[in-house]
Amino acid sequence: MFPEGAEPKPENYQVWNFDFDNLLITFEQYQVMPYSAGPQTMTIPYYRLKDELNPASPLVDFWLLTNR
């Protein structure tokens, strides 16, 4: 494991995406694990982020629409 690849630095969190319920953060090869471990993705449910999100954000609108 390579803990420096998950340190709280912007360059460590460049590849991210959304699905209906989660923020997905994907780490590059060798960033947090050896190549043999395969792709590494961290999934953070939106409900865990609700206190951190700007209420005016389009993401909040999207999340509210998909979680009624």
Side-chain angles (χ1 to χ4, degrees), residues 1-16 25-42:
M1 190 161 156
F2 313 118
E4 62 279 355
E7 288 178 354
K9 299 179 193 175
E11 61 267 20
N12 287 337
Y13 299 91
Q14 297 284 322
V15 183
W16 48 270
I25 299 173
T26 303
F27 296 100
E28 298 290 340
Q29 293 176 1
Y30 300 105
Q31 185 175 343
V32 294
M33 296 290 283
Y35 179 81
S36 60
Q40 300 297 306
T41 301
M42 179 171 48

Side-chain angles (χ1 to χ4, degrees), residues 46 49-64:
Y46 292 143
L49 299 171
K50 70 179 181 178
D51 294 333
E52 306 300 323
L53 295 174
N54 179 341
S57 166
L59 178 58
V60 172
D61 291 338
F62 171 77
W63 186 68
L64 290 173

